[in-house]
Amino acid sequence: MKTIYLLQGLGQTTQDWNEVINHLPPDYNVRLIDSFQIGFVNESYSLEQAAHVLEKEIEKDEEGHKIVCGLSLGAVIAAQHALMYPSKEVKYILSSFHPSPPRRLWHFKH
């Protein structure tokens, strides 16, 4: 079984992945992870929290190929996950990744 975790970017919703999902082979288990819902602690956004919640989602799935695909903010979360869980056998696809996002992004209110 192959599982792909899709994380959207700023200004997007999980539904923006629908066209991508339509082109995936039928043997893929698709998990939509809402990048905005997984990173909040109180009223502050935390990349570490987002990566931790992503890890919990990955742990729920059975063995097999696991791919995390992130766009923009989703790519930053995926990169944080790779840093925090380096021994995991997860493949990453990062698009529009910015290694140093502006600090003001992590202080917006939910």
Side-chain angles (χ1 to χ4, degrees):
M1 174 59 89
K2 298 173 190 152
T3 304
I4 187 164
Y5 306 85
L6 301 174
L7 293 94
Q8 86 278 13
L10 292 171
Q12 298 173 321
T13 69
T14 56
Q15 275 57 54
D16 289 316
W17 288 108
N18 288 345
E19 193 64 32
V20 172
I21 293 168
N22 290 336
H23 290 23
L24 291 174
D27 63 331
Y28 273 76
N29 177 27
V30 177
R31 300 283 306 275
L32 296 172
I33 308 294
D34 191 330
S35 300
F36 301 110
Q37 298 300 315
I38 64 172
F40 279 97
V41 177
N42 299 319
E43 293 184 355
S44 294
Y45 195 88
S46 163
L47 279 177
E48 291 81 8
Q49 174 66 17
H52 177 72
V53 173
L54 174 59
E55 175 62 17
K56 293 297 180 193
E57 291 297 318
I58 291 171
E59 287 177 347
K60 290 180 185 177
D61 291 311
E62 297 177 19
E63 294 297 319
H65 297 286
K66 297 179 181 183
I67 304 163
V68 175
C69 180
L71 175 64
S72 185
L73 173 60
V76 176
I77 295 168
Q80 182 67 40
H81 180 269
L83 290 171
M84 290 173 62
Y85 301 96
S87 65
K88 299 297 280 190
E89 292 193 19
V90 175
K91 307 287 187 221
Y92 298 90
I93 300 170
L94 309 179
S95 182
S96 299
F97 170 69
H98 193 288
S100 299
R103 279 284 174 215
R104 67 181 181 278
L105 285 180
W106 310 127
H107 298 290
F108 61 88
K109 303 286 183 187
H110 183 251

